[in-house]
Amino acid sequence: MTNSVNLTLSEAYQLAYRALHSNGFSTKHADAVAKNVTAGERDGCHSHGLYRVLGCVRSLHAGKVMADAEPTFTDSAPAILRVDAQGAFSLVAYQAALPAFITKVRHCGIAALAINHCVHFSALWAEIEPLTEQGLVALACTPSHAWVTPAGGSQPLFGTNPIAFGWPRQGQAPFVFDMATSAAARGEIELHRLANKPLPEGWGIDSHGKPSTDAASVLQGAMLTFGGHKGSALAAMVELIAGPLIGDMTSKESLAYDQSTGSSPYGGELIIAMDPERFLGAEKEEHFARAEGLFNDMAEQGSRIPGERRFKARQHSEQFGVTLPLTLYKEIVAMCQ
């Protein structure tokens, strides 16, 4: 008996959509979330793929996410747009804000979008790619729950606090990286726990502050930042600029709000985009050619350009579909009423 199930991308989307919609999410929110998790699965980002449907439904049943909220907007300044997700997942709010945000970026050359009062579970590259498709350079970050200890600490304080960056490239996939400031994404540790696999050393500590490779004990203890104090400093930066700066929660506050329900993080997200046309004018092509020289130099040394593996996985999935563990597939099917 096989331990996995192969699905086309359409079948994966329909499975996620049915589970979300039948549990109470509106058509708009179920569609946005289903598309997002299907994209994660398609790109080989299993920690942000259909596995996330379980947490989305759990958050709804716990009363920690709104199923049908409509976002509202505040035009704060010529180069600042704020969108209030009204307690829903960030995806619909981002999609609604995107046209006005891009207009601000084109007008000012650089602009910031703050998404407030949102529940966030998704990979940040999904917010970056629509901007690189418009020829824009972009940066995004968000806190999460307090799962990560600062360098030298022993108690959770920071979130996994991902940072994503995108650079458009002519005629080929953009340069996009999306990384947690923790040593690994929380979802990766969850997947190791589900598969009963040991963690690599340096990913986390147990509840007594001792290094551990047991996923369950790390989930009860704390995750570690990547690069020691360097990752810790970046995590603190994300807490500040995507928390207090935009009037939203820190990871510690998000976890307290969760009240031990195991729901997705609640708070804010900051996205900054820049228009190369406004920065460089007629010199844009010249300087973007220099950027291509940098990428070529990376490739000549055998360095993998961030995002390449994800785009290769995308091409494969579009042709052959995606493969889910049978246990996960059955869990999602069971949610479909």
Side-chain angles (χ1 to χ4, degrees):
M1 180 179 178
T2 181
N3 291 320
S4 61
V5 177
N6 186 259
L7 302 173
T8 66
L9 293 181
S10 177
E11 289 169 340
Y13 164 81
Q14 290 295 335
L15 175 64
Y17 178 86
R18 288 198 308 272
L20 294 160
H21 193 254
S22 65
N23 277 275
F25 285 102
S26 70
T27 298
K28 185 184 296 185
H29 283 278
D31 174 67
V33 173
K35 285 178 177 175
N36 183 277
V37 298
T38 301
E41 203 68 49
R42 175 201 66 194
D43 285 11
C45 302
H46 305 300
S47 63
H48 289 82
L50 266 70
Y51 152 78
R52 292 284 175 163
V53 170
L54 308 179
C56 291
V57 172
R58 183 169 59 246
S59 297
L60 182 63
H61 289 171
K64 297 301 181 180
V65 64
M66 298 297 294
D68 57 358
E70 291 292 334
T72 58
F73 300 87
T74 302
D75 195 340
S76 300
I80 299 175
L81 178 65
R82 297 181 68 173
V83 55
D84 191 326
Q86 302 289 335
F89 287 124
S90 61
L91 304 172
V92 169
Y94 177 69
Q95 292 170 0
L98 192 58
F101 178 48
I102 290 174
T103 297
K104 282 183 174 288
V105 179
R106 300 280 191 218
H107 180 73
C108 297
I110 182 170
L113 170 64
I115 304 177
N116 289 117
H117 307 127
C118 68
V119 181
H120 205 289
F121 71 89
S122 60
L124 288 178
W125 56 258
E127 275 97 313
I128 293 292
E129 281 194 20
L131 296 168
T132 58
E133 287 171 1
Q134 294 294 317
L136 304 175
V137 176
L139 177 74
C141 60
T142 184
S144 57
H145 281 334
W147 291 318
V148 181
T149 186
S154 61
Q155 300 298 316
L157 178 64
F158 299 149
T160 54
N161 294 11
I163 300 171
F165 172 80
W167 180 276
R169 301 179 66 189
Q170 186 69 36
Q172 54 189 309
F175 170 79
V176 176
F177 72 74
D178 180 359
M179 66 177 196
T181 52
S182 53
R186 181 78 169 184
E188 289 291 344
I189 296 180
E190 288 279 10
L191 290 176
H192 276 72
R193 181 185 64 81
L194 291 171
N196 198 29
K197 290 172 53 180
L199 300 175
E201 293 184 3
W203 278 23
I205 56 177
D206 63 21
S207 58
H208 302 291
K210 302 296 184 182
S212 176
T213 58
D214 178 70
S217 68
V218 169
L219 291 172
Q220 293 299 314
M223 299 166 64
L224 298 174
T225 59
F226 81 88
H229 66 279
K230 295 180 180 180
S232 187
L234 288 174
M237 179 195 74
V238 172
E239 293 285 341
L240 295 169
I241 65 174
L245 178 65
I246 64 172
D248 228 309
M249 289 189 180
T250 63
S251 296
K252 182 178 179 180
E253 292 166 337
S254 174
L255 188 61
Y257 173 82
D258 179 71
Q259 296 178 317
S260 300
T261 63
S263 301
S264 297
Y266 181 77
E269 178 181 355
L270 179 66
I271 303 166
I272 300 170
M274 293 155 275
D275 186 357
E277 297 281 356
R278 297 301 300 272
F279 274 84
L280 298 169
E283 298 178 350
K284 178 197 166 186
E285 297 304 322
E286 172 192 348
H287 293 295
F288 265 58
R290 293 174 54 240
E292 286 303 309
L294 175 67
F295 296 130
N296 291 336
D297 288 345
M298 292 171 66
E300 285 178 1
Q301 296 188 37
S303 173
R304 180 174 63 84
I305 297 176
E308 280 187 336
R309 183 170 55 190
R310 190 163 51 79
F311 287 114
K312 286 181 180 178
R314 180 179 303 184
Q315 292 175 342
H316 183 273
S317 298
E318 287 172 346
Q319 183 175 359
F320 298 105
V322 296
T323 300
L324 297 185
L326 183 60
T327 52
L328 174 60
Y329 174 77
K330 287 182 175 180
E331 279 189 88
I332 299 174
V333 168
M335 291 179 167
C336 301
Q337 300 170 358

